[in-house]
Structures are given as structure tokens and as C-alpha cells.
Amino acid sequence: MNRTLLILICTIGMITGCYYDKEDILNPDTGNCSTINTTYQGTVVPLLQASGCLNCHSGGAPSGNVSLATYTSVKTVAQNGKLFGSINHSPGFSPMPQGGNKMSSCNISKIKAWIDAGSINN
Ligand code: HEC
């Protein structure tokens, strides 16, 4: 009786263990996402470029009157909450990138780390 119980507990442990291993592979976001050394020039600008944000948010007539082409203008939406709200698809904000794929949660947390650290020009 006791042995059966022990085997049962071990089996459950093995199954859930495997399940979590699999999750980590399928969703790398749950694994090694480091927000250390997140900087404006080294992290935020390349992510905005790679996500296509500048296709719409630069030039003389940027979409939504939101420019992401200069540090000062990025800082404005960083500090008023719109940058994080839009990339995180938070309620009350327009989900960005418009017409594109949501940024990975790791990249969203990197931008959030930069915002939370004061959105400095580093
Ligand atoms: C295809 C064009 C397009 C792309 C690409 C795009 N945007 Fe936008 N964005 C818009 C338009 C149009 C608006 C204004 C209308 C609206 O709010 O839906 C807007 C609005 C915004 C706003 C204001 C949101 C609000 O709720 O007031 C922010 C911040 C923003 N975009 C950031 C981004 C970021 C960051 C990216 C890249 C991850 C991005 N956008 C990609 C077209 C785009």
C-alpha cells in the first residue's frame, strides 16, 4: 500500500517535471530573460527598429502624432505610460506594433526595465 502510494507520487512528480521542461523549450521567454544592462542605445532603439515601429513613427507626420525617432520623443511616451501600455497591449492603449506581431514578453520586459530605471539616455 505504502509502496503504491510512493510510486504514484514519484510518477506524478516525473510527469509534472517533464511538463515544465517542455514548457521552457517551447516558450524561451520563461527561461533566460535578462533585463540587466538594458540601455537606450543598446536595447531600446534596436528593438523599436526591429519591431517596425519607426516605419510609422518617424518623419514629418508620424502616426498618431507619436514620434519614436529621437530620445526626447521616446522618453515622452515612456514616461506617460503609452510606450509600455501599447507594446504590452494593456487595456486603454492602442496595441502596437499596429498590424504586426506583439513583441516577445522578454523584449517587453527589457523595455519596461529601461522605463522603470528612469528612461535615461544611456
Ligand atoms: C503600421 C503603422 C504602425 C506601426 C508599425 C506602429 N505603430 Fe504605433 N501607432 C500607429 C498609429 C496609426 C497610431 C495612432 C492611432 C492609434 O492610437 O491606434 C499609433 C499609436 C501609437 C502610440 C500611442 C498609443 C496610445 O494608446 O495613445 C504609441 C505609444 C505607439 N503607437 C508606439 C508604437 C511602438 C512602440 C511600435 C513598435 C512596437 C509601433 N507603435 C508600431 C501606427 C503604427
Side-chain angles (χ1 to χ4, degrees):
M1 176 58 195
N2 277 342
R3 178 175 288 189
T4 313
L5 200 65
L6 198 69
I7 290 169
L8 191 70
I9 291 166
C10 288
T11 310
I12 291 169
M14 275 157 63
I15 291 168
T16 53
C18 288
Y19 173 75
Y20 284 117
D21 286 350
K22 213 172 172 185
E23 270 289 276
D24 283 346
I25 296 162
L26 290 175
N27 184 6
D29 278 346
T30 57
N32 306 315
C33 181
S34 172
T35 57
I36 300 165
N37 298 329
T38 298
T39 63
Y40 178 66
Q41 293 296 340
T43 317
V44 177
V45 172
L47 285 178
L48 295 181
Q49 277 167 352
S51 307
C53 312
L54 294 174
N55 296 343
C56 300
H57 293 288
S58 63
S63 291
N65 216 16
V66 172
S67 173
L68 299 173
T70 66
Y71 166 71
T72 316
S73 53
V74 174
K75 188 185 177 186
T76 303
V77 284
Q79 296 287 292
N80 68 17
K82 287 186 174 181
L83 179 60
F84 179 72
S86 65
I87 61 171
N88 191 51
H89 297 189
S90 305
F93 297 93
S94 302
M96 293 290 144
Q98 194 182 72
N101 291 326
K102 188 181 177 184
M103 295 171 79
S104 74
S105 52
C106 180
N107 287 335
I108 293 171
S109 56
K110 285 181 181 178
I111 291 185
K112 188 176 189 299
W114 173 76
I115 296 171
D116 290 349
S119 317
I120 50 176
N121 190 2
N122 54 1

